[in-house]
Amino acid sequence: MNAHNDVKKPFDQTLDPRLVLAAAQRRFAARIDFLVARWLERCAENAEAGQRLFKPDQKPHVSSGMGVSLGA
């Protein structure tokens, strides 16, 4: 007698294509979410670096005193 024929192995079970497709869609969406989050993080870092690069000076500009005074 072949006892192994009576036991259904997990890989012998037929897969429901709808479940396989749903799982693939979830994995794809998770990967896209990860890539978009990483891209947004890099954009934010670049924006912060740009703001530091073009940050206005904190000290007011001192005139050299060579200008013409219009006062009385």
Side-chain angles (χ1 to χ4, degrees), residues 43-58:
C43 287
E45 289 173 2
N46 289 340
E48 289 173 3
Q51 287 176 350
R52 285 191 301 271
L53 183 63
F54 296 109
K55 188 175 181 181
D57 294 333
Q58 297 297 327

Side-chain angles (χ1 to χ4, degrees), residues 5 23 39 55 61:
N5 289 336
W39 177 73
K55 188 175 181 181
H61 292 288

Side-chain angles (χ1 to χ4, degrees), residues 13-40:
Q13 296 173 355
T14 59
L15 296 174
D16 185 0
R18 293 173 296 174
L19 296 177
V20 173
L21 179 60
Q25 287 174 331
R26 282 193 303 272
R27 285 193 307 271
F28 180 72
R31 181 69 178 157
I32 294 297
D33 285 346
F34 170 77
L35 293 174
V36 168
R38 195 170 71 177
W39 177 73
L40 288 173

Side-chain angles (χ1 to χ4, degrees), residues 3-5 8 10 12 20-21 24 29 42 51 57 59 61 67-70:
H4 65 5
N5 289 336
K8 194 166 198 172
D12 288 338
V20 173
L21 179 60
R42 283 197 313 260
Q51 287 176 350
D57 294 333
K59 299 180 203 174
H61 292 288
V68 177
S69 176
L70 298 175

